[in-house]
């Protein structure tokens, strides 16, 4: 059966509704049926715009990227004291901090972003500029790509864990019970204590890990 087009519905409306529902219900609650109910249409109407849920997730990730790019451009336009154009380290750190902040705007945002394929090339100019800065700072093109991917993968992986283990910022519920974990692991004191580092103060943890990534990249990949 061919999906019927709903005149009042477009791709942008579907994606906006999906992102709103994501923040309310998380990725597990993000179903085409639930999105359709929010839009007051029948679920088959969504298939006119997206062939399956993965196609919708790809577009959601792309919209997240568009919003991030727009916000980053606005911040740069109005910022004072930005790093010098040739300061690859500060640019590298700032880019990953921006990515983390944007992923945290959405419940399960990192899970949505991970493994999806952007549906347009809006990311390409920023990526090209970041890689060019690395090349101009002494990296080979291959090393620049590896340096970027290493920090990108760290950031997404960190936020996936952060969003899974920390309290839900949208309703304040949840969060890993670190003390209960420590009690269960009392016979293994280092493992027990590690939870107080790994599952608390995610901001500090991210910065420490990112600094380690930067140091490793500079030591092993920069010419």
């Amino acid at each position: 059966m061919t999906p019927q087009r709903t005149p009042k519905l477009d791709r942008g409306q579907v994606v906006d509704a999906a992102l709103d529902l994501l923040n309310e219900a998380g990725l597990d609650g993000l179903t085409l049926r639930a999105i359709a109910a929010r839009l007051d249409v029948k679920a088959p109407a969504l298939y006119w715009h997206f062939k399956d849920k993965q196609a919708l997730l790809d577009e959601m990730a792309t919209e997240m990227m568009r919003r991030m790019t727009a916000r980053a451009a606005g911040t740069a336009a109005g910022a004072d004291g930005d790093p010098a154009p040739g300061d690859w380290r500060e640019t590298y750190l700032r880019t990953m901090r921006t990515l983390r902040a944007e992923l945290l705007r959405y419940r399960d945002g990192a899970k949505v972003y991970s493994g999806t394929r952007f549906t347009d090339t809006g990311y390409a100019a920023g990526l090209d500029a970041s890689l060019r800065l690395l090349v101009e700072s002494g990296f080979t093109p291959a090393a620049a790509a590896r340096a970027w991917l290493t920090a990108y993968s760290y950031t997404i992986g960190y936020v996936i864990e952060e969003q899974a283990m920390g309290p839900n910022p949208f309703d304040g519920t949840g969060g890993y019970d670190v003390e209960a974990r420590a009690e269960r692991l009392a016979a293994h004191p280092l493992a027990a204590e590690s939870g107080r580092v790994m599952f608390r103060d995610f901001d500090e943890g991210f910065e420490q890990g990112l600094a380690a990534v930067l140091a490793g990249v500079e030591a092993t990949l920069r010419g």
Side-chain angles (χ1 to χ4, degrees):
M1 179 178 176
T2 302
Q4 295 298 307
R5 188 183 185 102
T6 303
K8 67 178 182 180
L9 196 63
D10 61 36
R11 284 172 65 91
Q13 290 173 304
V14 176
V15 171
D16 287 345
L19 289 171
D20 287 344
L21 181 61
L22 178 70
N23 284 345
E24 293 179 14
L27 189 56
D28 289 342
L30 184 72
T31 66
L32 293 178
R33 183 181 299 275
I35 296 168
R38 177 171 292 252
L39 292 167
D40 195 26
V41 299
K42 300 296 185 182
L46 302 185
Y47 290 102
W48 179 269
H49 302 285
F50 300 101
K51 65 178 182 179
D52 53 29
K53 185 176 179 179
Q54 185 57 54
L56 174 59
L57 291 173
D58 288 345
E59 187 63 27
M60 289 170 65
T62 304
E63 179 59 23
M64 291 164 64
M65 177 272 296
R66 293 185 191 113
R67 295 178 184 183
M68 175 172 58
T69 301
R71 272 189 283 265
T75 299
D80 293 322
D82 279 349
D87 191 346
W88 74 270
R89 297 172 191 82
E90 285 302 317
T91 300
Y92 188 80
L93 295 173
R94 182 179 59 188
T95 300
M96 298 309 153
R97 289 166 181 154
T98 298
L99 175 59
R100 173 176 175 252
E102 290 297 322
L103 295 177
L104 289 173
R105 288 178 178 270
Y106 307 93
R107 184 172 177 179
D108 293 332
K111 286 184 179 179
V112 172
Y113 213 74
S114 176
T116 51
R117 298 185 179 185
F118 293 141
T119 61
D120 65 39
T121 59
Y123 67 92
L127 174 58
D128 198 71
S130 296
L131 295 174
R132 188 173 303 279
L133 177 57
L134 291 173
V135 170
E136 291 172 351
S137 301
F139 292 79
T140 66
R146 183 61 60 194
W148 183 89
L149 180 62
T150 299
Y152 178 83
S153 300
Y154 162 73
T155 301
I156 291 180
Y158 188 93
V159 178
I160 287 175
E161 289 298 313
E162 178 178 6
Q163 292 184 314
M165 306 306 289
N168 175 8
F170 297 94
D171 62 17
T173 61
Y176 197 27
D177 190 334
V178 174
E179 298 309 321
R181 175 185 183 275
E183 290 180 8
R184 291 195 303 273
L185 298 178
H188 309 280
L190 289 177
E193 184 62 26
S194 69
R196 297 187 174 94
V197 175
M198 294 188 293
F199 307 120
R200 287 179 176 168
D201 200 344
F202 289 102
D203 291 342
E204 181 180 4
F206 177 76
E207 288 296 328
Q208 290 178 343
L210 185 59
V213 170
L214 175 65
V217 162
E218 184 163 22
T220 63
L221 293 176
R222 191 182 184 207

